[in-house]
Amino acid sequence: MSDKWPAILNAVKAEVSEMAFESYFTNLKYVSCENDTLTISAPSVFLQTQIDKKYRGIVIDAANSCGLPCSDLNVIVKSTESQKSTVIKRGAYEIRPDNAPQTISTSYTPPSTAPRMAPSGNITTYAGVKRFTTTDNGLNKKYRLDNYIVGSNNDVAVNAALSVIENPGTRYNPLFIYGGPGLGKTHLIQAIGNEILERNPQMKVLYVTIEQFYHDFVEAMRKKIEGFTEKYRNVDVLIVDDFQGIVGKEKSQDEFFHTFNELDQHNKQVIVSSDRRADQIATVDERLASRLMQGIPIDIQMPDFEVRCAIIKMKADIAHQDIDDASVEYIAGLGCRNIRELEGVLNQVFLRADLRNKTVAEVIKEDFADTTQLAPAQRQASIQPKKLVEKVAKYYGLTSDDLFGTCRVKNINTARQISWYLMSEELKMSTVKIGSEFSKDHTTIMSGLKKIRGSIKTDFSLREQISELREQLYA
């Protein structure tokens, strides 16, 4: 039966994008087909989860079309083929395997807001000369793709990450990931470094924040410490976090520009994260911004409701906490601006539940009743379209009549389209229903929604405005 596997892969390839096929299917292996179940192996829990969650039906259909009859798919991890097969649990919002590695040590202390500083390596002195000696790659081993929740908000970034892991320094170089704070950028870029080292232990990978790069550069000049160039240029993969911190540091920008050029010329991988695109960061040198944008800049957005539910379930599993589906949905609908805030709320709930020896549901009922009287679905239903328009108009210094009217002035039209976007995303209204509210054809609404959804991906300011409007809606 294994001879049919190449044909099955070809059938799958015809149904998915080229990027998806390269990212998810090239390393899958045929294992067996017994009892009407096709068993295949994946090299990691992450790929196992993605195939089972997103492509199960496509693989089954492809197998049947190629003469391998089956009605079910079992995806196992390659390293555990000789052991009991890993089966994906199918509870509400559960997307991790039962026996996925518990690699995150979770405490109940809310995440620190202090700047992240990667280890700079020791400074040694030999024959009176001080030199940088990198003794730590700066990576935190808890950041893995296996415990990174994938959704429509970040799937493009994850696909690009998988390509980089497979072939560092080729297709996406540099890989520039941007998005608001607390959306998982640091997790993803460090996961790339960890996965590369796992597959290629001989490679030199270095993770630093831009603040650490700046600090080392200043120390090298001020104290005449040697080895700065070797530390940052004698690597196979350089990962730089929080790039927006380079604002106003002209000499550091110049040094980073030359460091990037040196690595790029030797096909070494550069990965950069920032809270906005390089060409949108004030005072960043145009040459440097242009070089960083030569790859494909990819954004990460706030996860949608279903992905937030999956994140909460995963965090609860890691913390060995029981949480019911109603509580999951309640916390996911609280209007947190990012994953970091969501995790902070969850940690507080878990802490209170432990201290009082009560369930999560009991804590939510007691502690959140005064400030959030309605469940998320009820709160959503309580917002009327006209009230939403009033809040958007007030936010932009306009009136409801301006938005309901026909004026095409740019600021009014943009505010009007944002109200359509919020009606679609928050109130789940159809384009026809939105059109009836504004006396517009549904195709006009669709065009406006497409414009706002496209702008959100590149306009950091617009994204922040919509986040603030969401907060005001549920305040």
Side-chain angles (χ1 to χ4, degrees):
M1 294 295 185
S2 61
D3 59 332
K4 296 184 183 296
W5 183 239
I8 294 172
L9 286 178
N10 283 333
V12 169
K13 190 174 185 179
E15 297 296 326
V16 302
S17 67
E18 180 182 352
M19 179 184 289
F21 185 81
E22 291 181 3
S23 300
Y24 296 122
F25 291 93
T26 53
N27 291 315
L28 299 181
K29 304 293 182 184
Y30 173 86
V31 176
S32 65
C33 187
E34 300 173 352
N35 300 323
D36 211 27
T37 298
L38 171 63
T39 300
I40 60 176
S41 70
S44 69
V45 174
F46 173 78
L47 283 179
Q48 174 199 44
T49 303
Q50 295 307 303
I51 295 298
D52 188 87
K53 176 173 178 267
K54 299 172 69 173
Y55 301 105
R56 163 176 287 272
I58 291 176
V59 174
I60 292 173
D61 289 345
N64 281 285
S65 69
C66 294
L68 192 63
C70 63
S71 61
D72 198 9
L73 177 69
N74 181 31
V75 188
I76 65 175
V77 178
K78 186 177 182 181
S79 60
T80 62
E81 285 182 29
S82 61
Q83 304 169 7
K84 183 179 178 181
S85 296
T86 301
V87 182
I88 299 291
K89 185 180 176 184
R90 302 192 183 285
Y93 310 113
E94 179 64 65
I95 65 174
R96 296 194 318 131
D98 294 18
N99 61 350
Q102 302 299 319
T103 53
I104 297 181
S105 176
T106 303
S107 68
Y108 295 124
T109 305
S112 170
T113 56
R116 295 184 292 271
M117 295 288 285
S120 63
N122 296 328
I123 297 175
T124 59
T125 302
Y126 180 75
V129 178
K130 293 182 177 180
R131 290 186 62 85
F132 285 104
T133 56
T134 305
T135 57
D136 192 330
N137 58 29
L139 295 169
N140 188 329
K141 292 183 179 180
K142 77 176 184 179
Y143 293 124
R144 310 287 303 177
L145 285 181
D146 292 347
N147 53 41
Y148 190 73
I149 299 294
V150 183
S152 59
N153 62 305
N154 60 15
D155 57 348
V156 175
V158 171
N159 281 336
L162 288 168
S163 292
V164 169
I165 291 166
E166 287 293 330
N167 298 291
T170 56
R171 187 170 183 180
Y172 295 99
N173 198 21
L175 176 61
F176 192 94
I177 304 290
Y178 68 98
L183 296 182
K185 300 186 301 297
T186 296
H187 186 145
L188 181 58
I189 63 176
Q190 289 213 40
I192 296 172
N194 284 320
E195 294 286 346
I196 289 175
L197 282 178
E198 186 172 303
R199 300 186 185 200
N200 307 283
Q202 76 284 358
M203 278 193 166
K204 293 182 180 179
V205 178
L206 178 63
Y207 165 86
V208 295
T209 63
I210 198 66
E211 188 67 25
Q212 187 62 60
F213 179 89
Y214 167 74
H215 172 78
D216 285 351
F217 179 59
V218 171
E219 288 293 285
M221 291 192 299
R222 188 168 66 90
K223 297 182 179 179
K224 301 186 184 303
I225 302 173
E226 296 184 359
F228 173 86
T229 300
E230 290 85 345
K231 173 181 176 179
Y232 286 97
R233 300 186 189 182
N234 188 27
V235 296
D236 298 299
V237 181
L238 176 63
I239 305 172
V240 180
D241 206 353
D242 296 327
F243 181 74
Q244 70 278 359
I246 206 168
V247 170
K249 302 178 175 72
E250 294 181 6
K251 293 290 185 181
S252 295
Q253 289 186 37
D254 192 54
E255 178 62 31
F256 188 80
F257 175 77
H258 293 300
T259 296
F260 173 83
N261 279 342
E262 179 70 18
L263 293 171
D264 186 52
Q265 287 175 11
H266 291 86
N267 296 320
K268 304 301 183 181
Q269 181 69 49
V270 178
I271 302 169
V272 179
S273 85
S274 176
D275 67 0
R276 68 203 77 178
R277 288 164 51 116
D279 56 356
Q280 294 178 337
I281 302 175
T283 76
V284 167
D285 183 85
E286 187 176 342
R287 298 177 308 159
L288 177 56
S290 176
R291 294 291 276 154
L292 290 174
M293 298 298 285
Q294 75 182 24
I296 301 178
I298 302 172
D299 75 319
I300 294 179
Q301 300 182 36
M302 181 63 184
D304 59 25
F305 179 77
E306 287 76 13
V307 176
R308 295 198 298 275
C309 287
I311 291 171
I312 292 169
K313 288 286 287 184
M314 184 191 74
K315 298 293 184 183
D317 282 351
I318 292 169
H320 304 293
Q321 291 281 348
D322 292 326
I323 184 168
D324 60 290
D325 291 341
S327 295
V328 169
E329 294 182 2
Y330 187 91
I331 295 172
L334 285 178
C336 296
R337 291 173 296 181
N338 54 54
I339 299 170
R340 201 171 292 148
E341 286 188 6
L342 187 69
E343 188 173 5
V345 171
L346 193 61
N347 285 338
Q348 290 182 40
V349 171
F350 288 160
L351 176 59
R352 296 177 191 184
D354 280 354
L355 291 176
R356 301 175 194 171
N357 196 27
K358 294 187 175 182
T359 66
V360 169
E362 289 172 333
V363 168
I364 288 176
K365 183 177 180 180
E366 292 174 2
D367 292 7
F368 288 78
D370 292 338
T371 56
T372 321
Q373 304 256 342
L374 301 174
Q378 292 174 308
R379 291 192 293 126
Q380 186 183 74
S382 70
I383 301 173
Q384 299 301 314
K386 287 183 171 54
K387 188 70 175 178
L388 184 149
V389 174
E390 286 178 13
K391 286 184 176 291
V392 173
K394 184 177 180 181
Y395 181 86
Y396 289 105
L398 304 169
T399 67
S400 296
D401 290 341
D402 290 331
L403 301 195
F404 282 119
T406 58
C407 180
R408 301 285 297 173
V409 174
K410 184 177 179 180
N411 67 318
I412 295 177
N413 199 44
T414 299
R416 183 182 296 129
Q417 291 171 344
I418 288 172
S419 67
W420 299 348
Y421 174 81
L422 290 171
M423 285 179 175
S424 174
E425 295 292 317
E426 301 302 314
L427 306 189
K428 308 302 180 186
M429 293 173 61
S430 67
T431 55
V432 173
K433 193 170 182 179
I434 296 172
S436 67
E437 292 284 340
F438 286 83
S439 300
K440 304 282 186 185
D441 184 82
H442 79 281
T443 56
T444 302
I445 305 300
M446 289 173 63
S447 176
L449 291 176
K450 182 178 180 181
K451 180 180 178 181
I452 295 300
R453 284 170 179 149
S455 297
I456 284 175
K457 294 184 177 182
T458 58
D459 191 335
F460 180 79
S461 176
L462 177 61
R463 188 183 303 171
E464 287 293 296
Q465 292 169 29
I466 290 176
S467 293
E468 290 175 5
L469 280 166
R470 279 195 176 103
E471 288 183 50
Q472 292 184 17
L473 284 177
Y474 296 116

